[in-house]
Amino acid sequence: MKIGVLGEQGQDNRVPLTPKNVAALLKLGVSGVLVESGAGSRSFISDEKYKESGAEIASRAQVLKESDLIIKVTEPSKEDVAAIDSGKVLVGVFSPLTNHAMVNLLAKKGLSSFSLDVIPRTTRAQAMDILSSMGTIIGYKAVLVGANQLPSFMPMFMTAAGTVIPAKVLILGAGVAGLQAIATAKRLGAVVEAFDVRAAAKEEVLSLGAKFVEVEGAKDDTSAGGYAVEQSEEFLKRQKALVAQHAAQSDLIICSALILGKKAPLLLTRETVEAMKPGSVVVDLAAASGGNCEVTEPGKVISHKGVTIVGETNMASSMPADASMMYGNNVVNFLKIILKDGEINLNMDDDLVVGTLITHQNEVVHARVKSTLAPQS
Ligand code: NAD
């Protein structure tokens, strides 16, 4: 069986497999790995490096036609899907809970598609969890981007010219990205506090040396597989009021509160932003899912009444070397459970197979994705 690696055609700088990953797959017994020429260039990986690891360099059309299993970072284009023969396998991150057009297209084409962004949050799945890998990157980068926009220092300094007081950083959402943002802001010497709705987050925040701000009465649904659940209107109203009090004292706010498959909760209202200190900064990592901040403009850096709001939607792509390394390792770990002796071998009793297989044999087979789709007429 041949594995194909497709390059990204849009703005994304990542590549889904590194040369090390190619070598690992060949060791697993696959008959070949076809890499689209230039696929790794924006991650600083040359075709030569892929060749040295045992890959064949091919055109995009060849990769689409000759591979049995194709790996991508983001969703494929309609043209890509049209060029892949039905019955073949596609692995990547396709946002199937919200991107219904893509799900329907993949089912219609008869592709077996695996979307690793919906993998169950179990211990065994940790090494395949692409959202965690990208969360680590964006949480780290958000603090650097925010610090770069600030008109003041992050750490405290006692200098002959006066004392610099440390920046106050507020983190909204202490998942993987938020926790990494806390750790990074602490390393830079800031005073950090964080909000979350999951009870488990409190201990993690405290262990990183930040203060946890608690809003009483959060719904913490432990049956949601490690993911947060939507909160009531009444809870969100109380939370917004408390966030407003803390925001007014903050120099930098990192927004990373998300609910898988839903619009991000609105936590920073326009009024709250307008009451923030001039020169303060908001980095809204939830921008692509609607934003935690009311004035965020996805994909843009704006200034609103003296507050800088960063709405970058794909920060992981700005660190393509490590993002590709982590993505590729996650993919190889996943492929180990769907390959046997170098061939596809799907065990439908495996929760990680069932939890990521979106379309198969012309059907949408993922229970949660199916439940979110509008009935087909
Ligand atoms: P996420 O990206 O889905 O959400 C980010 C954070 O936003 C979460 O912590 C969530 O609780 C929080 N949030 C949602 N609504 C909020 C609100 N109104 N106010 C404040 N915060 C709000 O989360 P994630 O980074 O994917 O991590 C979620 C949890 O899953 C973490 O405990 C993480 O350690 C765990 N996890 C487990 C595995 C595994 O076991 N395989 C893998 C990844 C993550």
Side-chain angles (χ1 to χ4, degrees):
M1 192 201 58
K2 274 199 174 169
I3 293 194
V5 176
L6 275 188
E8 292 298 309
Q9 291 178 306
Q11 297 297 310
D12 208 299
N13 295 322
R14 294 169 293 174
V15 63
L17 286 186
T18 64
K20 213 169 144 194
N21 301 142
V22 170
L25 289 175
L26 291 170
K27 264 200 191 145
L28 286 179
V30 303
S31 60
V33 180
L34 290 178
V35 176
E36 181 185 352
S37 178
S41 62
R42 284 183 283 161
S43 289
F44 307 97
I45 307 174
S46 63
D47 286 353
E48 267 322 299
K49 286 281 173 211
Y50 281 110
K51 268 198 244 169
E52 284 168 20
S53 68
E56 278 172 67
I57 302 300
S59 68
R60 191 172 189 86
Q62 267 174 302
V63 174
L64 290 164
K65 200 77 206 149
E66 294 171 21
S67 315
D68 304 294
L69 183 153
I70 293 177
I71 309 169
K72 253 205 122 264
V73 177
T74 60
E75 64 175 80
S77 66
K78 282 186 194 153
E79 293 72 24
D80 287 342
V81 174
I84 306 172
D85 292 335
S86 70
K88 292 195 172 175
V89 181
L90 195 59
V91 175
V93 168
F94 311 130
S95 311
L97 292 169
T98 48
N99 192 352
H100 295 158
M102 180 50 55
V103 169
N104 287 327
L105 183 69
L106 296 172
K108 200 167 163 208
K109 187 68 212 252
L111 300 181
S112 296
S113 61
F114 289 92
S115 195
L116 298 187
D117 47 340
V118 290
I119 199 159
R121 257 68 204 283
T122 60
T123 305
R124 192 165 70 99
Q126 273 175 359
M128 309 161 205
D129 197 309
I130 284 173
L131 291 188
S132 290
S133 299
M134 298 307 122
T136 301
I137 292 176
I138 65 177
Y140 165 82
K141 194 66 190 273
V143 174
L144 302 188
V145 167
N148 200 31
Q149 291 284 354
L150 273 181
S152 44
F153 280 110
M154 290 283 269
M156 189 183 93
F157 284 129
M158 310 264 264
T159 80
T163 301
V164 171
I165 54 164
K168 284 198 170 136
V169 177
L170 175 63
I171 311 283
L172 303 179
V176 178
L179 290 171
Q180 187 54 241
I182 294 174
T184 306
K186 290 289 293 180
R187 277 185 219 119
L188 285 177
V191 173
V192 187
E193 51 185 14
F195 278 76
D196 204 297
V197 289
R198 289 175 305 106
K202 181 175 180 177
E203 206 178 307
E204 292 165 333
V205 168
L206 296 178
S207 75
L208 289 169
K211 186 177 153 206
F212 188 71
V213 191
E214 201 155 357
V215 186
E216 293 289 317
K219 240 191 286 169
D220 182 15
D221 192 342
T222 36
S223 64
Y227 293 102
V229 290
E230 275 182 305
Q231 302 296 320
S232 67
E233 275 306 314
E234 189 273 329
F235 175 89
L236 284 175
K237 196 171 155 205
R238 283 190 290 120
Q239 189 184 21
K240 275 182 221 167
L242 195 57
V243 166
Q245 284 175 25
H246 287 258
Q249 311 296 321
S250 303
D251 299 289
L252 170 61
I253 303 182
I254 309 284
C255 302
S256 70
L258 290 172
I259 313 280
L260 185 73
K262 309 266 182 202
K263 192 172 180 300
L266 177 61
L267 302 175
L268 269 186
T269 63
R270 180 176 297 270
E271 210 183 351
T272 299
V273 173
E274 289 175 2
M276 286 174 67
K277 291 189 272 187
S280 53
V281 177
V282 176
V283 179
D284 194 348
L285 294 175
S289 308
N292 291 147
C293 170
E294 194 172 359
V295 292
T296 296
E297 291 188 25
K300 290 191 183 160
V301 180
I302 60 160
S303 175
H304 183 83
K305 307 233 164 132
V307 178
T308 303
I309 321 255
V310 180
E312 221 177 292
T313 50
N314 190 4
M315 240 178 225
S317 163
S318 71
M319 283 179 49
D322 277 338
S324 300
M325 179 276 288
M326 294 170 93
Y327 190 103
N329 288 346
N330 290 146
V331 168
V332 170
N333 289 330
F334 176 73
L335 293 184
K336 285 180 186 164
I337 66 164
I338 62 164
L339 296 181
K340 195 172 175 206
D341 301 326
E343 296 296 331
I344 300 277
N345 179 39
L346 298 187
N347 173 5
M348 293 301 190
D349 291 327
D350 186 326
D351 63 326
L352 301 188
V353 173
V354 176
T356 50
L357 183 60
I358 310 301
T359 59
H360 188 51
Q361 295 173 342
N362 288 99
E363 301 271 352
V364 178
V365 293
H366 191 280
R368 182 156 178 212
V369 171
K370 225 160 53 173
S371 74
T372 62
L373 289 176
Q376 295 290 292
S377 51

